[in-house]
């Protein structure tokens, strides 16, 4: 098999010839229509992604050093139908509410196998997805979902903020396979998807656990399966039952808009019933009807209804805004970075321990921080950039402490003055400086 990418030809040898230890099984009958080219392209896709390793401990670098040793046996087993996915490694990450989100990390080779099937399945189901679905889809983004939500909040005064309880952990396998069977009749796709759904979990205590429901977050195929499931359960049902009702869905985060409170409550109850038919439940604490009031204070009849909700890391609420045309102010129902994500970023800054980077120069500190600050400002600064002032002030304070410790300045004022002089010489040294969060603005805010 020839290398599909000419640029990679010198770095990535083809795996058309099996490695010596695999030749004994190379004559296995190929019963599944999976080609070497599919595995090779899937490997190139996975190689650009996350570096986490699974239960076998094999890293991307190890496979990269000798692709034939790993990719040929994978193709051989997938093409013969004998591939069974290894257990996924349990990994927990903290959530903003003090709880943990459980991920299932597949092995690198299993991610390659999942990408092979995803690349075949996605073109079949993608054209049929609802236009209001934005999560984990090609040429779709969270910012597009936010823009649609902003537009609909301007037109309609009520919204239902839906939160599905443990969605990825509670997907019914039989219902999932029944829905998938309606979307494709490819037997090898159905076979491998079922095997991935049923793959064991390697717990943190070293034990293995069987799984009879859910699809682990962290896999390549899981987001697509989740979209297929909710497309049937929610999107198509909404389009058939309430064709005039706009909504935004990003994976399991859903906002449904309504013309008044009565309709919003009715939608909430009907959706709760619909989800229950497929074994899903809503988080009653987080699911609520919200009044999208665009003024300082709501009428008395609306005071008991919540006036803000969180969606994709942003808090939608009434904000006093400035009109660009005449510099006038007005009230708008607008998104800004949520307090939960402010706390998350503050926690990241604490763990970075910038003040201990004493072996780095200021330019090296700026280079080390650039990927994070660029990502934070690029995402959360898309709407209400000024709402990031608290977060950027915290970052600047930590830089001031770094200067004090590195140069032995006893006074904060002297350290701040030195950073001001560096900003005058190069305003683009730090990404946040170039976006309006410079030292001079910092000093002015502290003086007010």
């Amino acid at each position: 098999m020839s290398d599909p990418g000419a640029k990679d030809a010198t770095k990535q040898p083809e795996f058309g010839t099996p490695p010596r230890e695999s030749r004994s099984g190379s004559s296995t009958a190929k019963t599944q229509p999976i080609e070497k080219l599919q595995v090779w392209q899937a490997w190139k896709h996975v190689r650009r992604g996350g570096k986490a390793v699974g239960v076998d401990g094999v890293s991307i670098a190890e496979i990269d050093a000798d692709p034939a040793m790993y990719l040929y046996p994978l193709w051989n087993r997938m093409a013969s139908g004998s591939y069974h996915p290894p257990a996924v490694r349990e990994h927990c990450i903290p959530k903003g509410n003090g709880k943990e989100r459980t991920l299932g990390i597949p092995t690198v080779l299993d991610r390659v196998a999942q990408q092979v099937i995803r690349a075949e399945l996605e073109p079949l189901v993608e054209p049929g997805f609802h236009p209001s679905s934005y999560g984990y889809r090609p040429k779709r983004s969270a910012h597009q979902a936010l823009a649609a939500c902003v537009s609909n909040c301007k037109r309609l005064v009520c919204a239902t903020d839906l939160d599905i309880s443990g969605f990825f952990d509670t997907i019914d396998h039989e219902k999932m396979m029944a829905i998938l069977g309606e979307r494709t009749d490819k037997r090898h796709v159905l076979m491998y998807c079922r095997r991935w759904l049923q793959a064991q979990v390697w717990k943190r205590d070293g034990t293995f656990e069987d799984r009879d429901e859910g699809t682990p977050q962290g896999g390549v195929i899981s987001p697509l399966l989740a979209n297929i499931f909710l497309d049937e359960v929610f999107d198509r049902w909404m389009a058939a039952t309430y064709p005039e009702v706009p909504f935004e869905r990003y994976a399991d985060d859903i906002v449904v808009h309504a013309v008044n409170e009565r309709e919003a409550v009715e939608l909430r109850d009907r959706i709760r019933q619909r989800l229950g038919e497929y074994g899903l439940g809503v988080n009653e604490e987080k699911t609520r009807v919200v009044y999208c009031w665009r003024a300082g204070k709501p009428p008395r009849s609306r005071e008991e209804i919540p006036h803000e909700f969180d969606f994709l890391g942003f808090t939608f609420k009434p904000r006093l805004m400035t009109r660009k045309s005449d510099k006038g102010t007005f009230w708008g129902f607008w998104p800004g970075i949520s307090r939960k994500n402010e706390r998350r970023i503050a926690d990241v800054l604490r763990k970075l321990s910038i003040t201990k980077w004493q072996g780095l120069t200021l330019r090296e500190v700026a280079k080390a921080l650039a990927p994070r600050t660029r990502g934070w400002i690029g995402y959360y600064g898309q709407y209400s950039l000024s709402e990031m002032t608290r977060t950027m002030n915290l970052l600047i304070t930590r830089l001031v402490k770094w200067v004090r410790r590195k140069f032995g300045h006893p006074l904060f004022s002297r350290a701040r003055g030195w950073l001001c002089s560096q900003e005058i010489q190069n305003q683009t040294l730090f990404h946040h400086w170039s976006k309006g969060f410079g030292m001079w603005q910092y000093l002015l805010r502290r003086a007010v």
Side-chain angles (χ1 to χ4, degrees):
M1 168 188 144
S2 61
D3 189 341
K7 292 183 179 180
D8 290 340
T10 59
K11 296 182 179 180
Q12 298 298 328
E14 60 183 71
F15 59 99
T17 303
R20 182 170 300 175
E21 61 268 27
S22 300
R23 287 177 184 171
S24 60
S26 61
S27 59
T28 305
K30 303 301 182 288
T31 60
Q32 312 302 322
I34 297 175
E35 303 295 332
K36 295 178 185 177
L37 177 61
Q38 293 174 262
V39 177
W40 183 255
Q41 291 174 334
W43 157 242
K44 292 201 296 181
H45 184 276
V46 169
R47 188 177 59 186
R48 297 191 297 266
K51 308 299 181 183
V53 299
V55 295
D56 61 357
V58 177
S59 66
I60 287 180
E62 291 178 77
I63 301 175
D64 210 19
D66 190 359
M69 178 178 292
Y70 297 94
L71 299 183
Y72 182 88
L74 176 64
W75 166 77
N76 194 34
R77 284 180 288 156
M78 290 194 74
S80 62
S82 61
Y83 177 76
H84 289 269
V88 296
R89 177 173 60 86
E90 184 183 61
H91 176 69
C92 296
I93 57 175
K95 297 173 66 175
N97 56 5
K99 298 181 181 180
E100 290 184 327
R101 175 181 286 111
T102 303
L103 304 180
I105 308 299
T107 65
V108 176
L109 285 174
D110 193 43
R111 296 206 293 270
V112 175
Q114 290 185 32
Q115 179 58 33
V116 169
I117 300 301
R118 174 169 183 161
E120 188 171 353
L121 177 60
E122 192 168 52
L124 300 177
V125 299
E126 172 63 28
F129 283 159
H130 196 281
S132 294
S133 169
Y134 297 89
Y136 308 114
R137 295 182 59 189
K139 299 181 180 180
R140 294 264 170 157
S141 69
H143 281 159
Q144 290 177 322
L146 289 164
C149 191
V150 168
S151 176
N152 287 323
C153 284
K154 288 180 180 178
R155 297 190 301 109
L156 302 170
V157 297
C158 282
T160 301
D161 179 23
L162 287 164
D163 185 273
I164 302 177
S165 297
F167 168 66
F168 282 89
D169 298 327
T170 56
I171 293 178
D172 184 282
H173 287 177
E174 295 306 318
K175 288 184 171 63
M176 176 75 253
M177 292 307 303
I179 294 171
L180 187 59
E182 295 175 358
R183 307 297 173 95
T184 179
D185 58 356
K186 294 188 175 184
R187 297 178 62 184
H188 65 290
V189 171
L190 298 172
M191 176 182 69
Y192 284 126
C193 284
R194 180 178 287 278
R195 290 180 184 178
W196 280 311
L197 288 172
Q198 297 174 345
Q200 287 186 313
V201 179
W202 185 41
K203 309 288 286 185
R204 286 179 291 179
D205 60 6
T207 61
F208 289 88
E209 180 181 87
D210 293 329
R211 190 173 65 242
D212 55 7
E213 64 178 3
T215 176
Q217 286 181 272
V220 174
I221 198 73
S222 296
L224 180 59
L225 294 180
N227 265 340
I228 292 172
F229 192 79
L230 276 181
D231 181 67
E232 177 69 27
V233 175
F234 181 80
D235 298 355
R236 297 192 177 195
W237 176 79
M238 283 291 293
T241 311
Y242 300 100
E244 303 300 323
V245 174
F247 67 89
E248 300 84 36
R249 182 176 69 80
Y250 194 97
D252 58 337
D253 291 338
I254 306 172
V255 177
V256 182
H257 301 269
V259 296
N260 53 48
E261 182 185 355
R262 182 185 57 78
E263 183 182 66
V265 171
E266 178 189 342
L267 285 167
R268 181 197 61 192
D269 295 340
R270 290 291 306 277
I271 292 170
R272 183 193 290 122
Q273 180 182 354
R274 171 67 177 180
L275 294 176
E277 294 173 2
Y278 285 82
L280 300 176
V282 298
N283 187 324
E284 298 297 343
E285 294 181 0
K286 296 182 179 180
T287 298
R288 54 184 181 171
V289 172
V290 179
Y291 188 47
C292 306
W293 180 249
R294 293 179 290 276
K297 292 184 178 180
R300 289 186 178 181
S301 60
R302 305 289 186 179
E303 287 180 353
E304 301 301 322
I305 305 176
H307 292 77
E308 63 180 61
F309 65 89
D310 287 356
F311 183 53
L312 300 180
F314 289 78
T315 296
F316 283 72
K317 68 178 184 179
R319 301 177 190 273
L320 190 62
M321 306 172 66
T322 303
R323 188 179 292 106
K324 292 182 178 180
S325 59
D326 56 2
K327 304 296 183 181
T329 59
F330 66 98
W331 284 96
F333 196 79
W334 201 253
I337 182 173
S338 67
R339 287 299 179 92
K340 182 173 72 174
N341 282 281
E342 284 185 344
R343 292 192 294 268
R344 181 183 61 81
I345 294 174
D347 188 53
V348 171
L349 291 174
R350 274 193 300 271
K351 291 180 179 178
L352 285 176
S353 300
I354 299 171
T355 55
K356 297 181 180 179
W357 297 359
Q358 298 303 302
L360 304 182
T361 65
L362 186 66
R363 184 172 294 277
E364 289 171 338
V365 170
K367 185 176 180 181
L369 290 173
R372 287 184 170 88
T373 54
R374 190 177 291 113
W376 292 334
I377 295 174
Y379 184 74
Y380 296 108
Q382 185 77 12
Y383 295 94
S384 304
L385 180 62
S386 61
E387 291 294 316
M388 297 198 68
T389 299
R390 288 182 296 269
T391 300
M392 293 298 106
N393 280 353
L394 180 60
L395 171 59
I396 292 173
T397 300
R398 302 218 168 241
L399 290 175
V400 172
K401 291 180 179 180
W402 176 85
V403 173
R404 287 186 68 205
R405 187 169 181 177
K406 185 172 182 66
F407 299 107
H409 294 322
L411 300 176
F412 271 95
S413 59
R414 190 175 176 188
R416 290 194 294 260
W418 186 83
L419 279 174
C420 284
S421 67
Q422 298 302 307
E423 183 186 1
I424 292 173
Q425 296 176 31
N426 185 0
Q427 189 178 356
T428 60
L429 179 60
F430 285 91
H431 183 69
H432 61 279
W433 285 359
S434 63
K435 295 299 181 181
F437 299 104
M439 290 304 302
W440 292 106
Q441 292 87 345
Y442 171 76
L443 293 175
L444 287 172
R445 287 191 293 268
R446 290 181 65 88
V448 174

